[in-house]
Amino acid sequence: MKEILQDLSYQELEAMTLSLGEKKFRAGQLAAGLTQGKRISEISTLSKTFKERLLEHFEDAPVTVKERFTSSDGTEKFLFSLADGNLVEGVAMRYKYGVTQCVSTQVGCRMGCSFCASTLNGLIRNLTAGEILCQILTVNALLRAENARNAKEEGGMPAKDARAVTNVVLMGSGEPLDNYDNTIKFLRNVTAPEGLGISARNISLSTCGLVDKMYDLAKEGIPINLTVSLHATTDEDRKRIMPVARAWSIEKILKACENYFEKTGRRYYFEYTLIAGENSDEAHADALIRLLKGKPCHVNLIRLNKVKERALSPTEEKEAYRFLGRLEKGGISATLRRQMGSDIGGACGQLRAGYLAKNTARERGDE
Ligand code: SAH
C-alpha cells in the first residue's frame, strides 16, 4: 500500500508540497480538494506534473464506498473498502440538527465483547488517521452532492457550508483507544480549521474502558465527548461479557471519568446495552443509580441489536422503558436511544461480518 495523504496535518502537507518543488499556496489548493472529498487525480486546480508526483507516493482514493444501504428511517450504512481490500463500515444518521456519522477506527477488534460483531474474527489492523478521516470526507462529499442536486430540483441554492456531516462518533468497528496515536492525529486533523473544522464538542469517542488511555486523552487538549461502554454494574458481571473488565475495574473507570471532567470540563457518558436476563432488571437499575448518582454524567441506554453469531437477546422494549424510568426517578440523566437502521444491520461490525460471510458462502458455492 502507498502512503495516505490524508494522514498529514496541514503543516505537513505544506512541507511535503515544498519538498516536491511546488509553491506554498499549492498546499492550500491540495487541502481544499481533499477536504471536498476529491481523489488526488480529480483536483483540477493542481498541475498534471504535481498530481503525478503525488500519485507516485500516495493512494489516489484510500477509502471507497463498496456498498450503501438506506434504512426505512433514513439512516444509511456504508461498507467501505480500504486500499488493501480490507473492509470497514460506517453509519450516517439524519437528525434535525444535521448528520451524525459513525466511523470505524480498526479493521476488526481485539477486545472480545461477547455481544459485538466487530470482534468476531479479532483485530486485523489499525486504521491510519487518514483512513478514519476519509470515511467522513467520502460520505460528506456524497451527501453534499445529493443536497445540491435536491436544492437545484427545488429551485433553491445549495448551502455554502462545506459540511454535510456535522457530528462524528467514534463508535464503528474497533476500539479507538487501542489505536491511540492514529485516533489522536485524526481528531487533530478533523477539527483543524484548514480541513473540515468540525468542533471537538460535536465529536464523541466511545471506549470499552482502557483506563490508562483515558488519562492520556484528558491531557491532549481536545475537548471531545467521552463515552464509556459500561453494560454492567459489577466487575463480576462485566467480566462475563467484556474481557477488558479483567484489566480495569469499574472503580478505576469512574475515577478516570472524573479526571476527564476535571481536566476538560466536559461531562461524560455511559453506554449501557440492555441484554435480556443479563443486566436489565430492577436490581441492576438500582445498582446503576448507586454507582452514578451525583456524577456529571449521562447514560445512553440501547437495546441490544441481535447479532446472528451471538446467543444474547435484547431486553423487551417495555422493560427497557421501565429501566429508563427507574434511572430517571433515581436522579440519573438518561435516554433510551432509538434503534436506528436496525433493518439494515445496525450494530457494530454486522455489515462487514455479513459481507464476509456472504462472500465466503459464495466462494464455497453455497449461493
Ligand atoms: N470499542 C468502542 C467503540 C465501538 S462499539 C466501545 O467499546 O465503546 C460502540 C458501542 O456499541 C459500544 O457501546 C458497544 O458496546 C455497542 N455495541 C456493540 N455491539 C452491540 C450490539 N450488538 N447491540 C448494541 N450495542 C452494541
Side-chain angles (χ1 to χ4, degrees), residues 149-212:
R149 219 172 300 134
N150 292 342
K152 203 166 160 199
E153 271 167 23
E154 287 160 20
M157 289 287 285
K160 279 215 182 74
D161 193 341
R163 286 172 297 204
V165 175
T166 53
N167 297 60
V168 175
V169 295
L170 283 76
M171 288 194 188
S173 72
E175 166 51 49
L177 297 186
D178 187 39
N179 181 15
Y180 188 82
D181 293 345
N182 292 323
T183 296
I184 296 298
K185 184 142 206 216
F186 156 74
L187 291 172
R188 296 207 188 284
N189 289 348
V190 75
T191 51
E194 299 91 352
L196 280 177
I198 294 181
S199 159
R201 285 165 184 266
N202 291 350
I203 302 175
S204 300
L205 180 149
S206 182
T207 176
C208 61
L210 300 182
V211 168
D212 51 346

Side-chain angles (χ1 to χ4, degrees), residues 115-116 170-172 174-176 206-208 229 231 271 273 302-305 307 347-348:
F115 44 82
C116 181
L170 283 76
M171 288 194 188
E175 166 51 49
S206 182
T207 176
C208 61
S229 299
H231 307 330
E271 293 281 307
T273 294
I302 180 163
R303 288 170 59 226
L304 181 82
N305 256 307
V307 174
C348 274

